[in-house]
Every structure is written in C-alpha cells, then in structure tokens.
Amino acid sequence: MQHDNLVEIEDVAFGYGTRPVLKGVNLTAKRGQVIAIMGSSGCGKTTLLRLIGGQIKPGQGTVRVAGESVGELDPAGLYRLRRKMGMLFQFGALFTDMSVFDNVAFQLREHTDLPEDAIRDLVLMKLHAVGLRGAAQLMPAELSGGMARRVALARAIALEPTLVMYDEPFAGLDPISLGVTGNLIRRLTDTLGLTSLVVTHDVQESLKIVDYVYFVSEGVIVAKGSAEDIRASDLPYVHQFVHGEADGPVPFHYPAPSYADDLRLGG
Amino acid sequence: MLKRSIENLGNRTIQGVWRIGFAARFFLAMLLHSGTAFRRFGLTIREMYFTGVLSLIIILVSGLFVGMVLGLQGYETLQTYGSEEALGILVALSLVRELGPVVAALLFASRAGSAITAEIGLMKATEQLSAMEMMAVDPIARVVAPRFWAGVISMPLLAALFSAMGIFGGYLVGVQLIGVDEGSFWSQMQSAVDFEQDILNGVIKSVVFGVAITTIALFEGYDAPPTAEGVSGATTRTVVTSSLAVLALDFVLTAFMFRGIN
Ligand SMILES: Nc1ncnc2c1ncn2[C@@H]1O[C@H](COP(=O)(O)OP(=O)(O)OP(=O)(O)O)[C@@H](O)[C@H]1O
Ligand SMILES: [Mg+2]
C-alpha cells in the first residue's frame, strides 16, 4: 500500500549546538505535488531539507519519507532511501574534477548497469531538458553560476527519483531561465510522477507552479496554503513576504544586541 | 590564571584524544570500504596517476642529485681509508635502506600529501561530499579509499625509483667523474646488498610511510573546517605531521629491522 503522503514531518525540532533552529515543524508533502518552502534567510530551510535527506537527525519528532522514519534508519537503509531522492544543492555542489556530462552520468554509473550508450542518451536528454546539451563537455569551472545550477538540476533528476528537493533553484537565474526552470520543475513533477520540495525566496515565480506553500519563521510553520490562498492571504507575515515589504513581522536582522549599544552610542 | 591555563591544557588534551579517536575510526572505515577501490580498480589507477606519476619528476631529479652527492662525499671519506672500491656498497646501502624510503616519503608528503588534503578539503567545503552522500554514494568508498590505496601502492615504487636514480647518480660521479674502478663498484655492491635485509626492509619501510602519509593527508582533508583558512591550515598540518611521522616511524622501524646487523 502506497502512502498518500510521501513526506511527513511531525513536530520536528533541531538546533546546531545550543542554538535552536527548528522548534516543532509540521509539514506534509502529498505524492505528485510541488511544495514550496519559503521563509526569510537563515530561518532553517536548508536545515529542513538536510533533515529529510537524513544528513542530520532531528532532536525531537519524526521525519518520514515513504513511510520510513529517516532518523532511525541504519546507513544501508538510508542509502537505499536516498536512491529515490534527488537533491539540488544551494550552491550546485558539482564535482569539479568531472565534466558536465560525467556529473550528470555519475549516479547512472554508480547505481545502474546500463551500457554506456544508454547512459549517453539519458544524460543528453536531461541536459537538453535544462538547455545545456551543448555544454556537456565543459568543466564546472567553465560554467556561470546559473548554468552550474541548471547542471545540478539535471544531475538531481538523473535517476528519476520519487522525491526531488530543490534548494533555491531560482537563485542567480535570468528571467528567461527562471521561467523555464519553474516550468521544468512543474513538468517533471507531472510527467514523471515526482514529488518536489522547492525551497525558494522567489514568491512570484514559485506561486505560478506550486500546489502548496509553507512559510517558516522563527523555527515554526507560520502559514500554509495553496497558491491562491497565499495570494489572497491577509496574514501580515504572508502579505509582507509576498509583496516584499521591509516593515512587518519578519525581522530582516539576525538576532543582535541593540544597534545603539553595539555602536556604543550614549554610553 | 593558573586555573585558566590548566583548563586550557585539559581542553586541548581532550580535543586531541577525541581527534585521534576520530582518526582511528576514519582509518577503519577506510579499510572496511576498500572494496570499491579494488573492484573498480580504474578509480585507483586514476589516483595513482595524480599521486604517483605526477610526483615522478621531483622524485627522479632528487634521487639523481642525492646519489651524486653520496658519490662525492662517500669517495672523500672512503679514500682516506684507501677503500674507494667500496663506494658502490656505501651508495647502494644508504639509498636502499634509508635515503630512498625516507627522502622519497618526505617528497611525497609535500608533493602528493598536500594535494590530497587540499582536494578533499575543498570537495567538502563546496558540499561535493554531501552531494555524493545524498546520491547514496559513500564518499569514503568512492573518494577516500581509492586515494589511500593509490598512495600505498605508489610509495614503494617511487622509493625504488628514487634509489635506482640515486645509484645511477653515484655511478656517474664515482665511476665516470672520479674514476673509481667500474667492475668493483658494481660487483661489491652486488655481493653486499642483501635482498631480505636491505631491499625487502626498504620496501616495508616505504609501504608503512605510504600508509601513514596518505592516511594523514586524507584525514586532514576530510576533517578540515569547510572554509578557505580551514583547508589551508589542514594542508600545512598534513605536510608537518606526515613528515614528522615519517622520521619517527623510520627510527622505530630501523631499530627493529637492523638490530644485530654489523
Ligand atoms: N553547520 C552549521 N553549524 C552551525 N549553524 C548552522 C549550520 N548551518 C546552518 N546554521 C545556522 O542555522 C540557521 C539556519 O540555516 P539554514 O542554512 O537552514 O538557513 P536557510 O533558511 O537555508 O537560509 P538561506 O535562505 O539563507 O539559505 C542559520 O541561522 C545558520 O546560522
Ligand atoms: Mg539555505
């Protein structure tokens, strides 16, 4: 029996050292949906993806992917589960000692016994999908930031995983690539029957393609809803984020002592 | 004041011990996950190119010069005892027993060890190792173990080449330049160098040095803080630690191997 929800996060808390980052997050991702996770910089979005990928273990609560509790798997189980996950890292994380082609082919070569011809076709298809078939023989150092991210995207979907996590897929893209990438994520999700988790700051672009949105702030989910709900929402937090206003409940600053004290004014 | 410095000392000791424990676990994991390095030997060969072949020039040139200097110095000393023909023995034994393994290892540590640390450290800093883990590929098996075995295999070969070049250098200076009798240079060398005592022990030394250097280099890279300073600090530590380790191990190994030989 397949679970309806591919990802289920229940009351998860996590902190680096003594500083808590997440304080009881609940989130579910239905199969076949594109879910956006939004929130201000440093609120713990990347951390959330790392918890789902099992790179860090929750201090409290459970993270379940396809019914398995990620934090409790042994290394073998974790690796088995990860074969069904693709992840686009925030900074690409391409293997710098391999060409673009070899980067995309990496998982196919590691995890399948496909002949080199078949691998070649698959890799070129994925590269074509991100518009970089012509760049197959370049090395990562020869790519621009946006191109590197698109290659990383092609690499993340190379094995056609069931869950793909995108950490800031839109950052550093020009408006054309931005629209194309957004549509690509939507199309891949629909045609391959994937589930996509998209961490992003790009509210306008992502609202066009997502089914459901979660807003993270101060370590908890402060708002959630479908794209229409979010556009229409009058919650101050959501309103501020959607319209990019500087004043509102979202603090722009990392927690710090009073500015006046730091500058030694009036002391 | 005193309390603070005792606390500091304690802290450092704990951290040091913790790090040694971590290094030991790293070493074990590396051995346990070595299957890939042999099943897909191409990966190891590729690393042997980077660590071994690219170290060839420095090893060969240094070997030649060290041998030539041995020829000069040895001749000077032997001549005062009227036993110049023994030059072949002196050159060969010094190289095969000591200078070959040790100097080649020191050069290897600074040429290949530093490169390994910097590469692994940067792969970690740019999340390439995390990305690999997320692709269900164990970086210890895929990245670390092939580099380890490549180093362990390359080291004795490099040391042997170093010694061979050194003997050739000694021959150039001793026989061709100074005019020691060629026949006795080679025949004395042949009869005095023992396969087990000298050659095999030299090989054992260089294998041990290879294990030590690559383990230190890989561990420093894997453990480096993911920043520019972190990686550069780790690279320096690799060269310093592995050079000291080579010299210390050499003393211990020599003490065991050449006990009771005159
Ligand atoms: N390895 C780490 N060690 C200690 N603290 C960390 C570490 N990684 C992240 N943090 C802290 O955890 C918090 C959340 O980090 P995270 O990377 O999840 O943010 P984010 O929401 O992805 O931000 P951004 O949108 O800027 O990428 C940050 O305040 C950061 O300072
Ligand atoms: Mg992030």
Side-chain angles (χ1 to χ4, degrees):
Chain A
M1 176 63 213
Q2 290 233 318
H3 298 257
D4 211 22
N5 293 329
L6 185 60
V7 181
E8 292 174 314
I9 295 178
E10 271 170 34
D11 194 28
V12 161
F14 180 83
Y16 291 102
T18 52
R19 209 168 65 80
V21 175
L22 301 176
K23 309 166 191 162
V25 170
N26 290 286
L27 182 153
T28 52
K30 279 210 180 67
R31 284 178 190 272
Q33 288 198 330
V34 179
I35 313 281
I37 301 172
M38 296 187 196
S40 50
S41 188
C43 71
K45 304 181 297 294
T46 300
T47 305
L48 198 56
L49 294 190
R50 283 159 57 86
L51 281 163
I52 298 172
Q55 293 194 300
I56 46 181
K57 297 196 187 316
Q60 164 205 315
T62 51
V63 177
R64 254 193 293 278
V65 176
E68 298 196 78
S69 173
V70 177
E72 290 159 28
L73 287 173
D74 59 355
L78 197 54
Y79 274 12
R80 189 165 33 71
L81 190 63
R82 281 181 185 164
R83 287 192 187 201
K84 293 186 248 163
M85 297 183 189
M87 176 140 171
L88 172 72
F89 278 73
Q90 190 164 2
F91 303 104
L94 294 178
F95 302 131
T96 41
D97 58 341
M98 298 179 197
S99 69
V100 165
F101 183 95
D102 292 336
N103 263 283
V104 180
F106 184 78
Q107 285 197 86
L108 296 167
R109 288 183 178 144
E110 293 290 325
H111 293 317
T112 70
D113 292 323
L114 291 174
E116 202 55 29
D117 297 359
I119 288 181
R120 183 171 176 279
D121 292 350
L122 284 172
V123 170
L124 291 182
M125 275 160 60
K126 302 293 180 218
L127 281 174
H128 188 76
V130 297
L132 289 175
R133 189 163 43 85
Q137 294 315 322
L138 296 182
M139 294 303 281
E142 299 170 288
L143 303 176
S144 74
M147 285 162 83
R149 200 177 295 272
R150 278 147 72 195
V151 174
L153 179 60
R155 185 179 67 172
I157 55 171
L159 264 191
E160 311 208 337
T162 38
L163 171 67
V164 188
M165 294 180 271
Y166 306 85
D167 200 348
E168 312 265 359
F170 304 128
L173 297 184
D174 61 80
I176 300 171
S177 321
L178 197 114
V180 172
T181 308
N183 287 330
L184 180 68
I185 292 174
R186 183 73 248 181
R187 206 173 63 235
L188 287 167
T189 308
D190 294 341
T191 54
L192 301 176
L194 314 175
T195 306
S196 297
L197 282 178
V198 185
V199 163
T200 178
H201 292 128
D202 201 308
V203 187
Q204 300 307 334
E205 191 57 40
S206 49
L207 283 184
K208 288 185 210 155
I209 59 158
V210 301
D211 296 305
Y212 209 80
V213 182
Y214 286 89
F215 277 95
V216 184
S217 177
E218 313 261 309
V220 291
I221 303 287
V222 288
K224 58 185 178 180
S226 65
E228 297 85 69
D229 296 348
I230 294 297
R231 276 208 198 86
S233 169
D234 50 8
L235 280 171
Y237 178 89
V238 177
H239 194 267
Q240 185 195 354
F241 215 90
V242 173
H243 298 278
E245 292 156 357
D247 282 326
V250 183
F252 168 65
H253 294 284
Y254 191 87
S258 127
Y259 194 30
D261 287 353
D262 253 7
L263 295 180
R264 311 235 170 89
L265 297 180
Chain B
M1 263 304 268
L2 187 67
K3 185 163 167 269
R4 173 80 63 80
S5 56
I6 292 178
E7 266 175 18
N8 252 334
L9 187 71
N11 253 333
R12 287 204 182 179
T13 316
I14 291 172
Q15 270 175 18
V17 171
W18 194 85
R19 220 170 112 83
I20 291 175
F22 188 49
R25 272 177 36 206
F26 175 82
F27 184 66
L28 277 183
M30 191 163 70
L31 292 185
L32 282 178
H33 291 88
S34 288
T36 315
F38 289 100
R39 243 178 298 116
R40 294 168 58 190
F41 203 62
L43 290 176
T44 307
I45 301 243
R46 190 185 121 95
E47 298 310 327
M48 278 169 75
Y49 172 77
F50 286 114
T51 48
V53 177
L54 295 185
S55 307
L56 264 182
I57 300 254
I58 186 172
I59 294 278
L60 293 180
V61 173
S62 315
L64 185 68
F65 277 104
V66 167
M68 295 197 314
V69 171
L70 271 180
L72 281 177
Q73 294 277 17
Y75 180 79
E76 282 297 314
T77 313
L78 290 173
Q79 183 200 36
T80 49
Y81 302 102
S83 45
E84 304 88 273
E85 323 78 57
L87 186 64
I89 306 181
L90 183 136
V91 169
L93 284 188
S94 334
L95 280 166
V96 172
R97 283 187 184 177
E98 280 302 326
L99 293 174
V102 173
V103 180
L106 293 176
L107 293 171
F108 185 75
S110 36
R111 167 67 184 74
S114 59
I116 290 175
T117 304
E119 189 189 12
I120 305 271
L122 280 176
M123 286 181 86
K124 180 180 171 191
T126 53
E127 292 193 304
Q128 294 180 45
L129 298 182
S130 294
M132 205 174 270
E133 276 180 7
M134 278 306 298
M135 292 189 236
V137 175
D138 183 358
I140 299 267
R142 178 64 172 67
V143 175
V144 172
R147 283 168 173 74
F148 173 73
W149 288 107
V152 173
I153 295 170
S154 303
M155 189 67 259
L157 298 177
L158 291 172
L161 287 172
F162 184 96
S163 296
M165 273 315 268
I167 290 171
F168 179 65
Y171 163 81
L172 278 186
V173 168
V175 176
Q176 301 294 339
L177 195 72
I178 303 179
V180 173
D181 178 53
E182 181 161 4
S184 50
F185 181 88
W186 291 120
S187 65
Q188 292 228 11
M189 186 190 299
Q190 230 170 34
S191 56
V193 177
D194 181 66
F195 179 73
E196 214 164 282
Q197 284 298 348
D198 302 317
I199 306 220
L200 200 62
N201 279 341
V203 172
I204 291 174
K205 273 188 181 178
S206 56
V207 171
V208 173
F209 298 160
V211 170
I213 295 169
T214 38
T215 305
I216 291 171
L218 288 164
F219 176 71
E220 287 289 354
Y222 205 77
D223 191 45
T227 58
E229 307 87 74
V231 175
S232 80
T235 311
T236 311
R237 269 200 308 281
T238 291
V239 176
V240 174
T241 319
S242 55
S243 302
L244 290 178
V246 164
L247 295 170
L249 282 170
D250 182 51
F251 176 74
V252 175
L253 288 173
T254 309
F256 274 100
M257 286 172 174
F258 298 107
R259 261 184 324 189
I261 304 180
N262 36 5

